[in-house]
Amino acid sequence: MTQPLPHHRKLRRIMLELDGVDYSEQLQTGRVVNNTGDAERFYTFGPVGEFLEPAEPEYALELTLYSDWRSAGISTYLTENDHTIVPFTFEQHVGIVGEHVRYTGNVLLKAPSAGGEARAQDMTEVTLQIEGKPTFEQVTTP
């Protein structure tokens, strides 16, 4: 049996849409994070002796964005729609056949913090909670 060769790729293109609006140009760092806990194991005196109770899915979008406080900017959008649930799409390796993947679902928006260090780039860091488990798919069309 032959060993598969290692495969690696640098992230060059991530697409982020919130409620149908593409905010990819504002995105510096983005990731879908699986925060789901481990299943809980229970023991019995019966012949099976144990069973597992799966944890509820807990996923989030962790984002670092270049702040945009203009009327249609991401920072203003998040602030004005704080605690609103909207659809999201997150894609990575966009356009690379066989590696392009997409996550979709609903996310709870959260107003970001404002302000920062003098003369530093104005950045928005926010973690948005995803409802349940997002849908994952491999994109097969370029």
Side-chain angles (χ1 to χ4, degrees), residues 12-18 21-30 63-68 70 72-75 89-91 94 121-124:
R12 303 240 186 251
R13 178 93 167 90
I14 288 180
M15 192 278 294
L16 171 68
E17 280 187 6
L18 297 173
V21 178
D22 187 347
Y23 290 105
S24 303
E25 290 297 333
Q26 295 301 122
L27 187 63
Q28 182 193 54
T29 304
L63 307 172
T64 302
L65 303 136
Y66 293 98
S67 297
D68 184 352
R70 297 175 294 174
I74 183 68
S75 306
T89 301
F90 181 94
E91 300 181 30
V94 176
Q121 180 68 47
D122 190 7
M123 301 297 292
T124 296

Side-chain angles (χ1 to χ4, degrees), residues 1-82:
M1 178 182 218
T2 61
Q3 291 287 329
L5 296 174
H7 179 78
H8 61 90
R9 181 167 311 280
K10 292 183 179 182
L11 288 171
R12 303 240 186 251
R13 178 93 167 90
I14 288 180
M15 192 278 294
L16 171 68
E17 280 187 6
L18 297 173
D19 203 15
V21 178
D22 187 347
Y23 290 105
S24 303
E25 290 297 333
Q26 295 301 122
L27 187 63
Q28 182 193 54
T29 304
R31 66 186 62 184
V32 174
V33 179
N34 182 351
N35 293 314
T36 305
D38 294 334
E40 190 171 352
R41 187 178 305 270
F42 294 93
Y43 298 96
T44 71
F45 289 109
V48 174
E50 67 181 0
F51 64 93
L52 293 174
E53 181 71 30
E56 292 294 319
E58 290 184 33
Y59 286 77
L61 276 178
E62 289 182 355
L63 307 172
T64 302
L65 303 136
Y66 293 98
S67 297
D68 184 352
W69 293 100
R70 297 175 294 174
S71 63
I74 183 68
S75 306
T76 300
Y77 172 74
L78 291 172
T79 301
E80 290 178 344
N81 293 284
D82 189 28

